Amino acid sequence: VLSILATMARTYAVLACAWTASALAPTRRVHSRTRGRTAPQLTMHDYDYDVVIVGCGVGGHGAALHARSQGLSTAVLSGGDVGGTCVNRGCVPSKALLAASGRVREMGDAAHLEAMGVTLPGGVTYDRAGVAAHAEQLVNKVRGGLEGSLGRLGVELIPKFGVYKEPHVLDVGGGETVTAQDIILAPGSVPFVPPGVEIDGETVYTSDEGLKLEHVPEYCAIIGSGIIGLEF
């Protein structure tokens, strides 16, 4: 598991370095940002960007890298969530927790260790807060790598939500709009909560809250058998 996470980090680093400044040599057109009420007619040269991507998860990040490799002026509306579910609440933290719990499980199998001539006097213990801190540290590292790769390639990262308003126009709140020749929607997903189920974040919670629990439940029931449910 740790080797998978290391490979992910190296892959992001390679992607960030692959498109150098020389590869992005085409001159970026100067765009006039449209604020407030959008003009009824826009020509290609009136757009703020060639491409605007809504969402900055794995899909949005990959789309931004490809757009810049083609010399397109690019912006990403991240909604303050660079990395999306995978980096912040899914793949990365869950695999960090799996790695730690796997070590505890292996070291707690006294019979297996004894068969190899290994003994652990006193047994094995763990610190829940320490394990959680390890997962958070890994999340911050991967998220920082994503942000850095976008910045180095000249992608403008806008920490706002975007709402599709009309062709070529996104509403980003506060009476402000952003325009682009092309708009890519990569908003990601949120946990599905069945109707009638109340989430309290303590005894009933989604995978998002599950990563932030202040205690380790003695037992639990998991609804859903997707990749996140299986990892939990």
Side-chain angles (χ1 to χ4, degrees):
V1 173
L2 292 176
S3 64
I4 293 174
L5 293 173
T7 300
M8 290 174 62
R10 286 196 299 271
T11 301
Y12 285 127
V14 170
L15 287 173
C17 296
W19 291 286
T20 61
S22 60
L24 302 176
T27 304
R28 178 177 175 176
R29 295 197 302 271
V30 177
H31 302 272
S32 58
R33 182 177 292 279
T34 304
R35 300 180 184 277
R37 186 175 180 81
T38 306
Q41 297 293 329
L42 291 173
T43 67
M44 183 173 181
H45 298 286
D46 291 326
Y47 299 130
D48 298 326
Y49 305 95
D50 295 322
V51 179
V52 170
I53 302 162
V54 180
C56 196
V58 174
H61 178 264
L65 295 184
H66 181 68
R68 288 300 293 135
S69 75
Q70 302 304 307
L72 302 176
S73 62
T74 307
V76 175
L77 295 171
S78 70
D81 192 35
V82 174
T85 294
C86 177
V87 172
N88 296 291
R89 298 170 296 280
C91 317
V92 174
S94 65
K95 286 179 175 58
L97 296 178
L98 279 173
S101 61
R103 294 293 187 274
V104 172
R105 184 168 56 252
E106 291 170 3
M107 296 172 68
D109 188 344
H112 179 65
L113 292 176
E114 187 175 353
M116 296 188 294
V118 178
T119 57
L120 247 170
V124 59
T125 61
Y126 67 92
D127 173 37
R128 187 213 59 81
V131 173
H134 162 67
E136 183 64 23
Q137 182 183 29
L138 187 60
V139 166
N140 291 337
K141 181 177 181 179
V142 175
R143 183 171 57 228
L146 292 180
E147 293 177 343
S149 67
L150 293 176
R152 287 189 295 273
L153 293 175
V155 176
E156 183 169 351
L157 188 59
I158 304 173
K160 295 182 178 181
F161 291 95
V163 177
Y164 181 81
K165 185 175 182 180
E166 58 188 66
H168 309 292
V169 182
L170 290 164
D171 185 345
V172 295
E176 185 178 355
T177 59
V178 173
T179 62
Q181 171 68 28
D182 294 294
I183 295 171
I184 298 176
L185 300 179
S189 62
V190 295
F192 169 73
V193 179
V197 176
E198 295 293 332
I199 301 298
D200 61 19
E202 295 181 2
T203 58
V204 181
Y205 43 84
T206 70
S207 55
D208 288 359
E209 293 85 22
L211 292 170
K212 303 175 183 178
L213 290 180
E214 295 297 325
H215 66 286
V216 178
E218 183 178 350
Y219 59 87
C220 67
I222 299 174
I223 301 175
S225 58
I227 184 62
I228 293 179
L230 291 176
E231 287 185 333
F232 267 89

